[in-house]
Amino acid sequence: MPGARDRGAAPARWLGTGLLGLFLLPVSLSLEVSVGKATTIYAVNGTEILLPCTFSSCFGFQDLYFWWSYNSSDTFRTIIDGTVKNEKSDPKVKSKDDDRITLEGSTKEKMNNISILLRNLEFSDTGKYTCHVRNPKEKNIHHQATITLQVVDKLEEVDNTVTLIILGVVGGVIGLLICILLLKKFIAFVIKKTQEKKKECLMSSSGNDNTENGLPGSKAEEKAPTKV
Ligand SMILES: *[C@@H]1O[C@H](CO)[C@@H](O)[C@H](O)[C@H]1NC(C)=O
Ligand SMILES: *[C@@H]1O[C@H](CO)[C@@H](O)[C@H](O)[C@H]1NC(C)=O
Ligand SMILES: *[C@@H]1O[C@H](CO)[C@@H](O)[C@H](O)[C@H]1NC(C)=O
């Protein structure tokens, strides 16, 4: 039995590597899945939360298959799945494992939105939610994006404070850098001015010397404007 399993695993691994190559190659052109900018969403127990997911494909799609999976420390399961016939139709849910989940998005008019709404949040809903899309029109290419949901009993003010502190520190550091830069510029400016003044002094004194001495250098300078 273990031998058979090993023999089965090797081709699977090759297939995996091959598929990975397929994913990486057309990455910018083909199917893309996004859950937006936030990687972690906080929500209060008893309320509802929208888990966002959109996809895009410049090749278009046909009989696209999508599903959401849930992964926490002790479970991994598909919570909802369905299909989208084409760009002109809305997604059709095939199955879902909880009545609290509904598909909210629309795939008409290039919305390509397969977000889900989770109602009556429980603390046990905390975990990673991954939105998967497989497009038969693109050799069944499969893409996914993950968002983490954290169910809390109240949205902490502390988080804001931490953010503010971080922003403050970052702002302070940037401010300090700007100050240092400005100071450097100012010092450089002062040094330059001082040097210019010294030069000016030297030049004017040498200039005076030149005119007084009637050196060719000063004559050429005087001629230039008359030509124009
Ligand atoms: C959320 O959980 C807390 C702590 O268990 C509980 O006191 C509160 O009633 C819950 N809120 C809702 C809206 O269910
Ligand atoms: C679930 O998440 C854990 C890390 O939190 C990861 O190690 C594990 O591979 C994931 N399971 C699946 C099936 O993606
Ligand atoms: C997706 O659909 C939901 C529900 O209609 C909406 O709240 C959300 O803003 C949509 N997301 C995008 C990116 O359009």
Side-chain angles (χ1 to χ4, degrees), residues 69 71-73 75-76 128 130 144:
S69 63
N71 181 7
S72 73
S73 49
T75 57
F76 179 81
K128 285 185 192 161
T130 305
Q144 64 186 55

Side-chain angles (χ1 to χ4, degrees), residues 50 52-54 104-106 111 113-115:
L50 183 86
C53 179
T54 55
E104 287 294 312
S106 165
M111 299 277 282
N113 183 340
I114 46 169
S115 306

Side-chain angles (χ1 to χ4, degrees), residues 58-225:
C58 33
F59 295 114
F61 57 87
Q62 187 81 47
D63 297 321
L64 179 126
Y65 180 59
F66 70 89
W67 70 105
W68 278 87
S69 63
Y70 169 72
N71 181 7
S72 73
S73 49
D74 52 353
T75 57
F76 179 81
R77 61 177 195 269
T78 299
I79 54 173
I80 187 168
D81 72 343
T83 54
V84 190
K85 192 152 177 48
N86 55 41
E87 279 101 333
K88 290 189 191 74
S89 50
D90 261 337
K92 261 207 194 102
V93 174
K94 259 170 67 184
S95 67
K96 56 182 181 179
D97 81 336
D98 198 320
D99 282 342
R100 299 179 300 131
I101 304 169
T102 47
L103 189 73
E104 287 294 312
S106 165
T107 46
K108 277 180 184 164
E109 285 152 10
K110 298 209 162 95
M111 299 277 282
N112 294 355
N113 183 340
I114 46 169
S115 306
I116 54 171
L117 186 72
L118 250 109
R119 283 189 309 268
N120 288 325
L121 285 174
E122 294 159 7
F123 292 112
S124 58
D125 292 327
T126 291
K128 285 185 192 161
Y129 291 80
T130 305
C131 165
H132 309 251
V133 175
R134 198 172 63 205
N135 188 7
K137 206 172 177 179
E138 289 178 71
K139 297 175 184 158
N140 268 332
I141 197 167
H142 161 218
H143 272 224
Q144 64 186 55
T146 300
I147 195 158
T148 303
L149 175 67
Q150 189 86 45
V151 179
V152 292
D153 60 359
K154 63 171 190 258
L155 291 175
E156 297 271 338
E157 302 290 318
V158 179
D159 275 2
N160 270 338
T161 321
V162 169
T163 315
L164 280 180
I165 289 172
I166 292 171
L167 278 180
V169 168
V170 169
V173 168
I174 290 174
L176 198 66
L177 280 177
I178 290 176
C179 276
I180 290 173
L181 281 179
L182 283 179
L183 199 67
K184 254 177 137 177
K185 262 206 164 139
F186 179 69
I187 291 173
F189 178 76
V190 169
I191 290 174
K192 208 176 150 204
K193 268 280 137 112
T194 327
Q195 279 175 349
E196 262 173 14
K197 231 179 204 158
K198 266 188 201 158
K199 237 189 228 167
E200 248 175 43
C201 296
L202 284 175
M203 257 162 64
S204 58
S205 61
S206 63
N208 286 342
D209 286 348
N210 283 351
T211 39
E212 273 170 20
N213 295 341
L215 285 176
S218 60
K219 270 181 192 166
E221 268 172 29
E222 276 164 9
K223 266 181 195 168

